[in-house]
Amino acid sequence: MFDELKKKSLKSSLLGTIILLIAGVALTVFLGAKAFSAAFGYTTFEDLAPDEIHPGQLVEANVVVNFGSCIEEYEYQESAPRATQRTTSLYYVIWTRDGSFNDDRYLAIKVPAKYKSQMEDMYENTAAGYYSDPITLSGEVKKLNEEELRYFKEYFVYDDGTEGFTEAEYEQITLPYYINVYASKASMNAVFLIGFAGGVVCLIFGILRIVKATSGGYLKKLRQDIVNAGYSESYVESDYASATSITKNGSIKVGRLMTYYSSGATMRAFANKDIVWAYQSTTTHRTNGIKTGTTYSSILYLRGQKSAVTLSMPNEATTQEFLKRVGTMFPWAVVGYSEDLRRLFFKEYQQFLDLRFNTMEHNPVEVEGEGFTNPQ
């Protein structure tokens, strides 16, 4: 019994475990380097030679010169009383290492629109041959996409035949990258650190789920259910072997002594002698008023427990089959729902027990066509 249930719990936990492990690996791999930079500091952009710059780096650039804007991004809203256009970000052309070395290259830096005034003033100073006070900008190095690259290239190579750089010169003096400046470095650092920590947590929980499933950890509550019912494990193993499966996958089985069910990967059971009331619950799901589905479950109240046990059922026929079996095998249980029963159960509990639970012998009845295996 327990070996079989251990395999079932492992199978039930497999999907969730795989999702956790995939999410953990993805987050830690994708955010690992960024989380490290967020914790220990971004790379100083001015210290990087052109061949040391690559996409994915987090850099801090102290910009003192720029050569004007090559791309402008904006939002266009066509709404009353008039259409509006708002600039969201601009790409400015800058140097690697501020042109201090012969092999320095041009690339772009994408800044939020709030920096436009400062960057335009800097451009005017650059055109006049002056350095500006540094503007410290932090962000991620990214590769220009096809459209961005086209505009970036047009800044250097003119289509109209006027003076500009040749194709060969353009390839030699530029890098196809840009620095995507963060509007808030602190906020992005928090995203990187929290995301990476979340990935680590996912990995840990995924591994713990594997350990728990293979070691039988998901059966601990079942073992306690058996102890609480006053039965020995060997006694229950015989009962489980002769129990009838209600669902095709065996997730719910009704024995003479106990009813066995799975709650996710956790295996549980309750003593049939404690069933007080059982009935069907039907839930209709709607989205925007349109019916999207119906779910069924069996609700069981047990002696000494305030909360009901809810068993999810695949359909109404299975729900009715289960409740019919409960009513036939365990005649001390009230089966069915009415508002009068509900009021009696919650207002006059002892009177509810006197309906059947206190007045019927708690001896399971054999279902016609089935026999019990004496669980010794």
Side-chain angles (χ1 to χ4, degrees):
M1 167 187 172
F2 289 103
D3 287 340
E4 177 186 340
L5 292 177
K6 185 189 292 186
K7 291 178 182 178
K8 283 188 176 182
S9 65
L10 178 60
K11 185 177 180 180
S12 297
S13 67
L14 194 58
L15 179 59
T17 301
I18 291 173
I19 292 174
L20 281 172
L21 292 175
I22 291 175
V25 170
L27 287 170
T28 52
V29 170
F30 181 72
L31 296 178
K34 291 182 174 63
F36 182 86
S37 295
F40 299 103
Y42 289 16
T43 300
T44 301
F45 180 68
E46 292 76 29
D47 293 341
L48 297 174
D51 60 359
E52 294 174 330
I53 299 171
H54 56 80
Q57 286 175 306
L58 297 187
V59 297
E60 185 172 85
N62 296 293
V63 184
V64 294
V65 297
N66 80 70
F67 302 93
S69 173
C70 60
I71 305 173
E72 180 176 352
E73 287 187 346
Y74 60 87
E75 290 179 348
Y76 182 80
Q77 293 184 340
E78 191 172 338
S79 57
R82 57 188 174 82
T84 59
Q85 180 175 307
R86 182 177 69 89
T87 299
T88 57
S89 57
L90 301 103
Y91 294 66
Y92 286 87
V93 178
I94 62 172
W95 257 331
T96 59
R97 299 181 296 192
D98 296 331
S100 304
F101 297 85
N102 291 331
D103 63 340
D104 275 348
R105 305 283 192 91
Y106 293 100
L107 74 162
I109 186 166
K110 179 182 178 181
V111 299
K114 66 180 181 179
Y115 290 104
K116 181 177 181 178
S117 177
Q118 290 175 276
M119 295 298 283
E120 289 297 325
D121 289 343
M122 181 184 291
Y123 169 57
E124 291 181 6
N125 289 339
T126 302
Y130 300 110
Y131 285 98
S132 301
D133 292 334
I135 302 175
T136 302
L137 301 168
S138 300
E140 178 184 355
V141 176
K142 291 190 171 185
K143 189 171 184 177
L144 293 163
N145 62 35
E146 185 176 345
E147 184 178 14
E148 292 167 336
L149 193 60
R150 177 168 60 86
Y151 286 115
F152 180 69
K153 184 177 180 180
E154 287 176 358
Y155 178 90
F156 296 94
V157 181
Y158 304 153
D159 293 333
D160 59 5
T162 58
E163 185 178 354
F165 293 96
T166 65
E167 290 276 354
E169 289 171 334
Y170 164 77
E171 294 293 340
Q172 186 177 4
I173 65 173
T174 63
L175 291 175
Y177 305 142
Y178 70 98
I179 302 172
N180 183 40
V181 174
Y182 297 140
S184 172
K185 179 182 178 182
S187 297
M188 291 307 299
N189 284 349
V191 170
F192 298 144
L193 291 170
I194 293 172
F196 179 77
V200 173
V201 170
C202 286
L203 284 174
I204 292 173
F205 271 94
I207 294 170
L208 288 177
R209 282 171 66 92
I210 293 174
V211 173
K212 185 175 181 179
T214 54
S215 64
Y218 286 110
L219 304 182
K220 285 185 178 180
K221 289 187 177 181
L222 173 63
R223 293 182 186 276
Q224 189 59 50
D225 290 335
I226 294 171
V227 171
N228 293 341
Y231 302 129
S232 67
E233 288 189 1
S234 59
Y235 201 52
V236 170
E237 284 188 5
S238 298
D239 181 62
Y240 181 84
S242 61
T244 300
S245 291
I246 299 300
T247 54
K248 291 182 179 180
N249 62 1
S251 60
I252 301 174
K253 299 183 72 172
V254 179
R256 182 182 184 189
L257 301 180
M258 304 191 79
T259 294
Y260 310 87
Y261 64 99
S262 59
S263 178
T266 302
M267 311 307 295
R268 300 298 303 270
F270 56 81
N272 296 326
K273 63 184 179 182
D274 292 331
I275 301 174
V276 175
W277 185 24
Y279 60 87
Q280 175 178 316
S281 175
T282 305
T283 303
T284 301
H285 305 276
R286 296 182 183 276
T287 302
N288 296 327
I290 300 174
K291 181 178 177 181
T292 56
T294 305
T295 55
Y296 302 92
S297 58
S298 295
I299 309 298
L300 298 103
Y301 283 93
L302 309 177
R303 175 179 56 181
Q305 296 187 18
K306 293 183 179 180
S307 300
V309 175
T310 300
L311 302 181
S312 296
M313 297 288 177
N315 49 55
E316 186 172 20
T318 304
T319 310
Q320 288 296 313
E321 178 187 345
F322 171 75
L323 292 175
K324 181 180 179 181
R325 179 171 289 272
V326 169
T328 301
M329 291 182 64
F330 317 120
W332 57 86
V334 174
V335 176
Y337 180 88
S338 71
E339 285 299 321
D340 288 339
L341 286 174
R342 179 178 178 80
R343 280 192 293 270
L344 191 63
F345 183 87
F346 288 104
K347 298 293 184 179
E348 301 292 342
Y349 184 64
Q350 288 302 318
Q351 290 186 28
F352 190 97
L353 294 181
D354 289 339
L355 292 177
R356 302 186 73 84
F357 194 84
N358 289 338
T359 58
M360 303 285 292
E361 291 188 6
H362 288 217
N363 293 321
V365 176
E366 181 178 340
V367 176
E368 186 176 353
E370 297 180 5
F372 291 132
T373 300
N374 188 22
Q376 295 294 336

